[in-house]
Amino acid sequence: MATQDTCCTIVPYFKVHSGKLQEFKALCQRCVEKTENETGCLYYGFSFDGDQSHCREGYRDADAALAHVQNIGPLLTEVLKVADLTKIEIHGPEKELAKLRGPLADLKPQYFTLEYGFRR
């Protein structure tokens, strides 16, 4: 069973530097505000467990994910001054992942290929 779903998810995890949680959360709010107007973004938000954070984000397709990366780039630079990116995964169908592998290579993500499923 193949899937027609083109959704790509970016799954980053952050470890916030000691004493920087409030600054990190303020940057998260700025990221949310900057992302709200992206037409290809399906969902976007930050969750927390103490000083660890996860950004839950999904995009219509690889092009929308790349548009987000370009849009958020300067803010990500600020985020990485107060937190470490401890893990990043990219999920999506191979046709879409192929478009992301080159542009996101510097982040060294782990890629998960969507093979079965549906989207409503």
Side-chain angles (χ1 to χ4, degrees), residues 42-57:
L42 302 173
Y43 55 88
Y44 188 84
F46 288 85
S47 54
F48 294 85
D49 180 11
D51 63 355
Q52 296 178 67
S53 179
H54 164 64
C55 185
R56 182 177 170 269
E57 48 189 301

Side-chain angles (χ1 to χ4, degrees), residues 22-66:
Q22 291 311 310
E23 186 177 346
F24 180 84
K25 287 185 174 188
L27 288 165
C28 292
Q29 180 60 38
R30 289 177 56 200
C31 289
V32 169
E33 290 167 359
K34 191 155 182 71
T35 303
E36 275 183 312
N37 295 323
E38 295 176 8
T39 59
C41 183
L42 302 173
Y43 55 88
Y44 188 84
F46 288 85
S47 54
F48 294 85
D49 180 11
D51 63 355
Q52 296 178 67
S53 179
H54 164 64
C55 185
R56 182 177 170 269
E57 48 189 301
Y59 303 92
R60 179 185 60 240
D61 54 24
D63 292 332
L66 289 172

